Amino acid sequence: MNIKIVLYLLGKLSCFLGAFYTVPFLVSLYYGDEGRGIFPACIALCVLLGLLFTKYGHYNRYTELISNRDGILVTVLVWIMAAVLAAIPYAVSGRLDPVSAYFEAMSGLTTVGATVIADVEVWPKSLLFWRFWTHWLGGLGIIVIFLAILPTISGSAVHLFDAESTGFEEGKLKPKLKSTAQILFTIYVGITVLTAVLLLAVGLSPYDAICHAMTCIATGGFSNYNSSVAAFHNPWAELILGLCMFTAGGNFSLYYNVFRKGPNLLLHDDEFRTYAGFIVVIGTLITLNLYLSGFDGSLLHSFRVAFYQTTSFTSTTGTVSTDFEQWPAFSKLLLCLLYITGGCAGSTAGGVKMCRIVVLFRGLRVDILHMLHPKTIRRVHYNGKVIRGKTMHMILSFFTIYVFTIGVTSLIVAATGTDVLTALTASASCMSSAGPGFGSIIGATGTYAPLPLAAKFVLTWNMVMGRLELFVVLALLNRSFWRGNSRW
Amino acid sequence: MRDYPVLRLMGIVFLILTGGLCPSLLYALMNEPRMVLPFAGTALIGLSFSVYALKSTEYARRMRLSVRGGILFMGSAWFAMSLFCCLPYWTSGHYTLLQALFESASALTTTGTSCIPDDVPYPSSLLIWHEIIQWLGSMQAMVLFSVIMPRMGATAAAIFSAEGQGVSAERTLPQIHEIVRLLVMLYVGLTLFQTVCLILTGLDPLTSLRMAACTISSSGFIRDTNFLEEHNSIAMEVVIAFFMLVTATNYVLLFRLVQRRYSVFLHDSERKWYVAIVLITAVAVISNLQWNHVYDSFGQSVRYGLFQVISIFSTSGLASTDYTNWPPFVHMLLFYAAIIGGCSASTAGGIKISRLVVLTKICILEVKRVLHPKMVSSVIMSGKPVAQNTIIGVTRYLFVYVLLMLILTALYSLTGTGMIEALSTIVVFLNNVGPAYTVLGETSNFQNLSSFGYIVLYFAMIVGRIEIVSFVILLHPDFWKQRKGW
């Protein structure tokens, strides 16, 4: 295990974070709140740490290779260290204890959106901005890593984690890493700006508009109001945010290809169609359920809240436009289903991802056909390509591990003293990076604040695991990972 | 769709069930004249069908059951059987059709939950009938899972490498008959053995027999749900717990034990994992009970905790105490225990330990693969590698299971229950557990459900019993078309 490389890369991260801290600092200057003292300290700390690490670490890009093992370690440590560094403002301001601060920071960076802040509205604006900023950066980081860095790296170099862990090769958009990253960055920023402008147009304040645009594009879920989006009482805002969430849950490399080749690609992409289809079907079911059970007034109102919440959950954002805790169990259970399915691959959404779900269903159909017609030869097709046995195996295993991990972590959370509903939905929600859970504690209007510290800590692991598609983090549990083995 | 071996098998099954009517009929003749007609009528129907089936398939005695036949049988038999068994209930006039269906399905699938309210009369002859069909239904399930299912591929039974246990597709028909005969004898023998043990603990013979039938069939149905609490006898609980443990073990394995082939029994992966999982869960439950000071003494925690854990794993659902107020962690453990269930080719439900083992090993291997991408690996059970097809089948089973569980939960919640209540109810029925209290700590009243609720639970019970796959296949239109080459 090459500590020097790890140190070097972490040092670089630290420097980057220091740079990122400048923006909330500017915001704090604008609003003149307590951030003026906190953020400079954070900047200084990050930069110092970064310089320290890069001095003692060493990585020569042209002569050294990052081994598989180092790549995995770096990946996990990057998230953990970033969360620790991002937690500093919350802890230093005295408003959150260290564990809760870490939870909030991790929730921000992994775009989960689960909050431990009981009353958001009394917090200083710059600190709240930092929350949204972590969302936005985390989302951007995910997209760039998934779609730019990984496909470009070939050979025995960094497997920060295998793009093939999704079972699909996200094709290289452009030969050069830098060009791909630039394009993705442009799309990401473009959507953010567009959303913010539209929100301004329907009457939100600039601060609210920017923050909520950031949270939706990153499919995060934070808000600067306790009742989340419901506080606006603005159907147009909900529509815009809904569209933004819907877009954010789609595959960004698909968007780039659409930009180049035309919108037909959207209609033909299996994953996108399933993603949209899920939202339509489940949204309709919930609308009917709400309306027929006499719960939410007019059909239009039911439609509005149902579709917003469905989009929110499918894209694993987690902003809330109504107290869905009051909904009938049927609708709530449908929303729970969305914890598992998640959004599209190549987006900031979490969950098992639509592409895998599509393949799983098709595989099931082929399996049944095989049982009926044993001598038939049928292949599973996805987007025109054949899914090989090995890929199918990986996808099935992923589903299994995903479900198992939710099961095990929910047990651990329950062991810390929470009730069953909270334990189950909290671990599922954090794993799929959605955010809100169900039940009296972490429901639509609740927060994760009352949970025991141990539970919060376990849930941060859920967040990291969900973000990194499980395998990478679980690999750390392997004994052979830690043994000094020259074959690495 | 004249599939003769299937028809013959149906005939045999119905004949057995008709035979099971005799005790009830006799009892009705003696004590409850009003029930004579329902039972006699049902017996007539059953007899005529089985005679017709057996007679018209005389020449098919030598024919082997095809894959499609097996699927057809497994998929439809339980529905057909439940329809037959509900006749005495329905024609007795006390219950609606749906209640009758629910009750008979509950018995047949060894779920063991009754939907009959306490104030509605429950004639003793019907009670006898209920207990008999649960005993018979369980026996049939166990035999069918041991013998027929392995031939259908990626089922739980296939995973313990049926070849190794000597029950495989290659066997000739007389040998299959022999194995079936021996499994039935084992089942009957265990029932009698437990009866004797219970008599020794001080219970009267008739109740012992009924308790034994209820335990060995892993159903858990006793009309008086506080039975064990009232008797408060540790000896009885120990006996029952022991036999619950045994009945949830692979019957073919037990059979090997009787044959004195000890090595097979000792080296079986599934058995080892079963014992380990039950022990670990029990330890976790007992520690948590102790931690939360639920009971005054350690002994009590062990007594009630261990019993409940064994009960849920074997999907019997017997309760030695009211565990509604246990800590939520324990409830979650029991919830997962219900989902996991017992061993394959036993009377228990759930996704079965063998599948759990394979899935866990797959997870571990896949995680290892992150570090060693070029690794060549295989999942090993009982010393033999598991076929790739089986592995894919098992992971797919989990997928279908989770999907079905969520869909059924959503459907059931339309009857107006809360989220957790719906989830635990469906888990209880899908895995054929069925104690009076639902697993996740909230008592549920199945006595006054809407029709829709009854239908959902009816399906859940039967689909869970036939391990889902058969049912899913029945849904495909291709299944019903006449095709060549079957």
Side-chain angles (χ1 to χ4, degrees):
Chain A
M1 216 181 312
N2 198 332
I3 301 285
K4 287 193 182 268
I5 293 184
V6 172
L7 271 180
Y8 182 82
L9 290 171
L10 288 179
K12 278 277 186 185
L13 167 77
S14 204
C15 293
F16 271 118
L17 262 177
F20 292 143
Y21 264 117
T22 50
V23 180
F25 177 53
L26 293 172
V27 173
S28 73
L29 285 177
Y30 177 79
Y31 282 104
D33 56 25
E34 60 191 83
R36 282 174 302 174
I38 300 178
F39 287 116
C42 295
I43 297 175
L45 182 66
C46 289
V47 171
L48 267 171
L49 208 61
L51 288 174
L52 201 70
F53 278 8
T54 51
K55 188 156 188 295
Y56 283 104
H58 181 69
Y59 172 46
N60 188 334
R61 247 187 20 196
Y62 302 102
T63 56
E64 289 181 44
L65 294 171
I66 301 182
S67 69
N68 211 4
R69 203 160 59 154
D70 289 335
I72 293 170
L73 193 60
V74 166
T75 312
V76 180
L77 284 180
V78 153
W79 286 95
I80 295 180
M81 188 163 130
V84 169
L85 290 176
I88 300 172
Y90 307 131
V92 163
S93 73
R95 292 168 192 273
L96 289 178
D97 58 278
V99 177
S100 299
Y102 177 67
F103 183 95
E104 192 80 12
M106 184 63 90
S107 174
L109 285 171
T110 52
T111 74
V112 169
T115 184
V116 285
I117 302 176
D119 189 0
V120 181
E121 291 163 23
V122 298
W123 275 47
K125 293 229 152 127
S126 59
L127 270 183
L128 288 180
F129 182 81
W130 173 238
R131 284 167 86 222
F132 292 104
W133 193 231
T134 52
H135 260 346
W136 199 78
L137 291 172
L140 182 60
I142 288 292
I143 300 226
V144 170
I145 290 176
F146 258 103
L147 297 180
I149 297 182
L150 290 172
T152 318
I153 291 170
S154 58
S156 63
V158 184
H159 279 286
L160 274 180
F161 53 109
D162 212 1
E164 311 218 349
S165 66
T166 44
F168 301 88
E169 290 176 32
E170 301 293 349
K172 296 184 205 177
L173 293 179
K174 284 258 178 180
K176 279 175 74 172
L177 166 60
K178 215 166 119 181
S179 333
T180 315
Q182 275 173 342
I183 292 163
L184 293 169
F185 181 74
T186 317
I187 300 179
Y188 193 77
V189 170
I191 300 179
T192 318
V193 168
L194 181 65
T195 315
V197 165
L198 285 173
L199 285 174
L200 271 174
V202 295
L204 261 56
S205 71
Y207 182 75
D208 284 344
I210 295 175
C211 288
H212 282 89
M214 284 202 287
T215 194
C216 285
I217 185 70
T219 67
F222 281 154
S223 174
N224 49 354
Y225 294 102
N226 284 333
S227 46
S228 187
V229 173
F232 295 141
H233 298 294
N234 189 336
W236 291 111
E238 286 173 27
L239 179 65
I240 295 166
L241 287 171
L243 286 172
C244 178
M245 291 191 293
F246 177 70
T247 319
N251 188 339
F252 272 63
S253 69
L254 180 70
Y255 293 152
Y256 173 67
N257 285 329
V258 163
F259 188 68
R260 280 198 313 154
K261 296 180 195 162
N264 274 339
L265 220 60
L266 267 179
L267 296 171
H268 291 309
D269 183 53
D270 285 337
E271 185 180 30
F272 194 79
R273 280 191 347 205
T274 315
Y275 172 62
F278 251 84
I279 293 180
V280 168
V281 169
I282 294 190
T284 315
L285 283 174
I286 296 182
T287 311
L288 289 172
N289 184 233
L290 287 179
Y291 179 61
L292 291 173
S293 68
F295 170 72
D296 238 347
S298 69
L299 188 61
L300 189 62
H301 187 243
S302 303
F303 176 81
R304 176 179 141 201
V305 295
F307 268 83
Y308 184 86
Q309 215 53 59
T310 310
T311 314
S312 176
F313 267 71
T314 315
S315 63
T316 72
T317 307
T319 48
V320 170
S321 76
T322 182
D323 183 8
F324 57 74
E325 193 57 33
Q326 309 297 327
W327 286 4
F330 180 68
S331 303
K332 290 197 280 189
L333 283 166
L334 284 179
L335 289 179
C336 279
L337 180 72
L338 297 172
Y339 280 146
I340 298 191
T341 52
C344 298
S347 75
T348 53
V352 173
K353 306 289 188 345
M354 284 292 164
C355 54
R356 290 198 185 97
I357 299 287
V358 171
V359 173
L360 283 173
F361 269 106
R362 290 188 181 172
L364 183 65
R365 213 177 68 191
V366 168
D367 224 28
I368 294 178
L369 278 170
H370 263 296
M371 276 207 216
L372 293 168
H373 305 277
K375 293 198 173 31
T376 194
I377 297 180
R378 286 282 201 117
R379 293 273 171 260
V380 176
H381 290 277
Y382 178 81
N383 271 344
K385 295 197 207 94
V386 170
I387 300 290
R388 294 183 342 258
K390 187 168 156 242
T391 314
M392 179 61 94
H393 182 77
M394 278 200 282
I395 295 176
L396 281 167
S397 323
F398 182 84
F399 180 82
T400 310
I401 295 188
Y402 193 87
V403 173
F404 270 25
T405 312
I406 292 184
V408 171
T409 47
S410 62
L411 262 180
I412 301 177
V413 172
T416 62
T418 55
D419 62 282
V420 178
L421 184 60
T422 309
L424 274 173
T425 52
S427 55
S429 179
C430 288
M431 183 86 95
S432 73
S433 84
F438 291 91
S440 51
I441 302 179
I442 57 174
T445 53
T447 65
Y448 284 69
L451 290 183
L453 290 180
K456 286 180 187 159
F457 184 68
V458 171
L459 289 171
T460 57
W461 280 101
N462 266 29
M463 294 179 200
V464 180
M465 281 198 280
R467 189 39 62 182
L468 294 178
E469 307 235 308
L470 290 167
F471 286 113
V472 180
V473 180
L474 289 174
L476 291 176
L477 293 174
N478 224 307
R479 250 182 314 166
S480 60
F481 183 86
W482 302 102
R483 286 201 205 122
N485 200 328
S486 58
R487 262 177 292 161
W488 286 104
Chain B
M1 206 174 18
R2 290 183 79 71
D3 200 330
Y4 294 112
V6 173
L7 199 55
R8 186 166 184 80
L9 204 51
M10 281 282 212
I12 297 174
V13 162
F14 271 76
L15 191 62
I16 296 175
L17 285 177
T18 314
L21 276 169
C22 295
S24 302
L25 190 56
L26 281 170
Y27 187 86
L29 280 169
M30 289 196 292
N31 294 339
E32 293 169 358
R34 285 192 55 211
M35 291 303 299
V36 175
L37 201 56
F39 281 112
T42 316
L44 206 62
I45 296 174
L47 204 58
S48 29
F49 174 75
S50 22
V51 165
Y52 159 73
L54 288 170
K55 271 272 182 283
S56 66
T57 57
E58 272 286 325
Y59 68 93
R61 230 188 298 177
R62 294 284 150 97
M63 279 173 76
R64 306 184 66 191
L65 199 58
S66 64
V67 173
R68 184 168 175 272
I71 298 172
L72 173 64
F73 180 74
M74 289 304 283
S76 54
W78 259 269
F79 287 107
M81 284 197 281
S82 67
L83 282 168
F84 176 69
C85 293
C86 88
L87 287 174
Y89 282 99
W90 190 33
T91 50
S92 75
H94 293 298
Y95 322 109
T96 67
L97 175 62
L98 282 175
Q99 277 180 319
L101 267 178
F102 181 97
E103 198 71 13
S104 75
S106 169
L108 212 53
T109 60
T110 72
T111 304
T113 315
S114 176
C115 69
I116 311 296
D118 291 321
D119 52 342
V120 173
Y122 204 130
S124 299
S125 52
L126 273 182
L127 206 59
I128 296 174
W129 175 229
H130 188 113
E131 290 169 5
I132 288 184
I133 50 176
Q134 87 192 2
W135 190 74
L136 285 177
S138 186
M139 179 179 76
Q140 287 169 339
M142 180 265 298
V143 167
L144 289 168
F145 276 112
S146 312
V147 176
I148 295 190
M149 290 295 263
R151 312 181 62 212
M152 279 163 52
T155 60
I159 291 158
F160 68 90
S161 81
E163 265 73 12
Q165 308 292 9
V167 184
S168 72
E170 276 69 63
R171 289 259 161 174
T172 60
L173 225 50
Q175 281 175 310
I176 292 186
H177 284 171
E178 178 70 9
I179 291 176
V180 169
R181 193 177 69 89
L182 291 165
L183 286 173
V184 169
M185 271 174 37
L186 187 59
Y187 187 80
V188 173
L190 273 174
T191 318
L192 291 173
F193 187 21
Q194 186 182 359
T195 315
V196 167
C197 289
L198 281 174
I199 294 177
L200 288 175
T201 65
L203 209 52
D204 63 283
L206 191 60
T207 319
S208 296
L209 182 64
R210 294 166 79 179
M211 199 66 213
C214 152
T215 315
I216 296 291
S217 64
S218 76
S219 100
F221 171 78
I222 26 180
R223 186 70 182 142
D224 175 15
T225 49
N226 295 319
F227 183 80
L228 285 172
E229 255 183 298
E230 283 166 13
H231 277 258
N232 205 17
S233 148
I234 294 186
M236 199 168 32
E237 288 173 23
V238 168
V239 168
I240 295 177
F242 174 74
F243 279 96
M244 283 198 291
L245 204 61
V246 168
T247 194
T249 329
N250 191 329
Y251 266 72
V252 179
L253 209 57
L254 287 174
F255 172 60
R256 294 285 167 235
L257 197 63
V258 169
Q259 278 186 323
R260 291 190 226 167
R261 283 164 62 170
Y262 297 122
S263 66
V264 176
F265 182 79
L266 286 172
H267 290 135
D268 186 57
S269 293
E270 190 179 22
R271 181 201 64 85
K272 285 193 254 181
W273 277 70
Y274 173 56
V275 172
I277 291 176
V278 172
L279 267 177
I280 293 175
T281 316
V283 166
V285 167
I286 293 171
S287 340
N288 198 255
L289 285 176
Q290 278 297 104
W291 180 273
N292 288 309
H293 304 291
V294 179
Y295 293 111
D296 304 316
S297 72
F298 182 68
Q300 277 193 313
S301 297
V302 173
R303 175 183 168 190
Y304 294 121
L306 189 62
F307 185 89
Q308 215 50 56
V309 167
I310 294 179
S311 168
I312 302 283
F313 265 109
S314 70
T315 71
S316 309
L318 288 167
S320 63
T321 181
D322 179 3
Y323 61 90
T324 339
N325 294 319
W326 282 4
F329 178 61
V330 175
H331 280 300
M332 271 205 93
L333 280 173
L334 292 178
F335 173 71
Y336 287 128
I339 294 180
I340 295 173
C343 298
S344 54
S346 76
T347 58
I351 65 171
K352 309 296 191 318
I353 303 265
S354 58
R355 286 201 186 94
L356 183 75
V357 174
V358 172
L359 288 170
T360 315
K361 293 193 177 189
I362 290 174
C363 288
I364 295 175
L365 279 175
E366 285 308 308
V367 171
K368 273 212 187 120
R369 206 183 290 273
V370 178
L371 302 169
H372 305 273
K374 294 201 184 355
M375 171 177 76
V376 173
S377 65
S378 56
V379 175
I380 305 225
M381 288 279 286
S382 307
K384 298 187 192 72
V386 181
Q388 188 64 18
N389 279 341
T390 315
I391 292 181
I392 293 199
V394 175
T395 43
R396 201 155 271 142
Y397 183 88
L398 180 71
F399 176 61
V400 175
Y401 183 89
V402 170
L403 201 67
L404 205 65
M405 191 169 76
L406 288 171
I407 292 177
L408 283 173
T409 311
L411 282 175
Y412 184 69
S413 69
L414 283 172
T415 61
T417 62
M419 284 176 74
I420 285 291
E421 205 189 327
L423 184 64
S424 66
T425 308
I426 291 294
V427 162
V428 159
F429 279 87
L430 195 61
N431 298 292
N432 310 129
V433 181
Y437 319 102
T438 53
V439 182
L440 282 175
E442 295 172 30
T443 55
S444 190
N445 190 342
F446 300 114
Q447 295 169 357
N448 290 306
L449 282 182
S450 64
S451 316
F452 181 68
Y454 279 129
I455 295 175
V456 172
L457 292 180
Y458 172 74
F459 268 101
M461 279 195 275
I462 297 192
V463 169
R465 181 85 259 187
I466 60 178
E467 300 209 335
I468 297 177
V469 180
S470 321
F471 176 68
V472 173
I473 289 183
L474 278 183
L475 293 175
H476 200 276
D478 265 9
F479 185 78
W480 302 99
K481 292 191 200 142
Q482 197 79 18
R483 292 262 161 155
K484 280 188 268 184
W486 281 108

